[in-house]
Amino acid sequence: MVVAASMSLFAVTAAAHPGGHHGHPAKKPTVVLVHGAFADSSGFEAVSRRLLAGGYPVVAAPNPLRGVSSDAAQVKALLASIEGPVVLVGHSYGGAVISSAATGNENVKALVYVAAFVPDEGESVEQLVGKFPGSTVGESLKPVPLSDGLVDLYINPAVFHERFAADLPAKDAALYAISQRPATNAALGEPAAGTQAWHSIPSYYLISGADKIIPPAAQEFMAERAGSTVQTVRGASHMVFVSRPDTTVSLIDRAARETAR
């Protein structure tokens, strides 16, 4: 079912790429969705359906979760293949990726951070998550050592619902726990390199008010520092884009309307 949905989404969004067709450009900017750690693009299904219904071309970018610089390079290459304006959306660790990937790309008109990390140069996800009290991520991780010396990190399925997706039904959270993709310890500890895109591109931030992964205080700090337009969702878990897709899409739509010309 996930494969079929992905192929359907690819077919609908192919026109956003130069290789699709050479007709009239899309009337609305392409929305590029970048997932974070302990997740994959399937979590964007409800958001993608709503965006498509609203006339937005949508691309769900694969995020390798191997390292901030290498992950950003992959997203940057994808962005270069898209014609016309782009609204770039990042969840969680995906926020660190888009902050680097958008640098120097004049087509990226807005950055939308959804319960996301917004590092400045020299800061890592690991540093930011510990800047304020309240995160349970460290005690929730299940490490899997790799042969190259790195460690893949998962959220322990036993605590996934409570700590990562508390406002989702337990049966849904269990499925997301199964399909989660790990990030390496190197990715979470890698400092952001160079000037970050939020210094020059307008940003919007959706704060998840009951987040047990990135404390709301940390989200508020990063959003304020970036000068983001902020919306707070009370009671929302770290998977706010899944539990509150209408609110998420509303902020993306606002970013598009206010910045894409």
Side-chain angles (χ1 to χ4, degrees):
M1 184 179 295
V2 172
V3 173
S6 299
M7 292 302 293
S8 174
L9 181 59
F10 176 81
V12 174
T13 59
H17 298 269
H21 65 71
H22 300 283
H24 297 292
K27 293 182 180 180
K28 292 189 175 183
T30 299
V31 177
V32 178
L33 304 167
V34 181
H35 67 81
F38 323 122
D40 64 15
S41 292
S42 66
F44 287 123
E45 180 181 356
V47 166
S48 297
R49 288 182 183 277
R50 287 161 172 77
L51 288 169
L52 291 171
Y56 285 99
V58 182
V59 175
N63 188 359
L65 308 177
R66 301 293 89 186
V68 175
S69 58
S70 60
D71 295 342
Q74 181 156 325
V75 173
K76 193 178 190 74
L78 176 62
L79 293 172
S81 75
I82 299 173
E83 293 180 345
V86 169
V87 173
L88 185 56
V89 182
H91 171 247
S92 194
Y93 168 82
V97 173
I98 69 171
S99 295
S100 178
T103 302
N105 188 326
E106 295 182 355
N107 282 348
V108 179
K109 304 302 182 183
L111 302 169
V112 180
Y113 295 99
V114 180
F117 291 101
V118 188
D120 207 347
E121 183 174 4
E123 291 179 335
S124 70
V125 164
E126 190 175 61
Q127 289 172 325
L128 286 169
V129 81
K131 194 173 184 70
F132 295 84
S135 176
T136 65
V137 67
E139 63 201 62
S140 304
L141 294 175
K142 181 179 179 179
V144 177
L146 304 176
S147 60
D148 60 2
L150 294 178
V151 178
D152 263 349
L153 300 172
Y154 296 81
I155 296 291
N156 186 337
V159 300
F160 191 96
H161 183 210
E162 174 196 351
R163 298 176 183 174
F164 203 80
D167 57 349
L168 293 180
K171 60 182 179 61
D172 294 340
L175 292 175
Y176 285 114
I178 290 169
S179 64
Q180 67 171 299
R181 292 182 54 237
T184 65
N185 57 331
L188 302 185
E190 181 182 345
T195 302
Q196 301 297 285
W198 53 264
H199 284 284
S200 57
I201 299 174
S203 62
Y204 294 72
Y205 200 111
L206 191 66
I207 294 175
S208 46
D211 201 319
K212 295 182 180 180
I213 299 300
I214 306 178
Q219 296 182 45
E220 291 166 4
F221 163 78
M222 292 183 284
E224 181 178 358
R225 181 176 65 176
S228 304
T229 297
V230 175
Q231 182 173 351
T232 300
V233 186
R234 293 182 181 179
S237 75
H238 194 57
M239 294 195 79
V240 59
F241 64 104
V242 177
S243 62
R244 316 292 174 89
D246 289 327
T247 303
T248 304
V249 169
S250 178
L251 187 62
I252 294 170
D253 179 66
R254 179 179 178 183
R257 288 185 288 102
E258 293 183 349
T259 64
R261 295 177 177 85

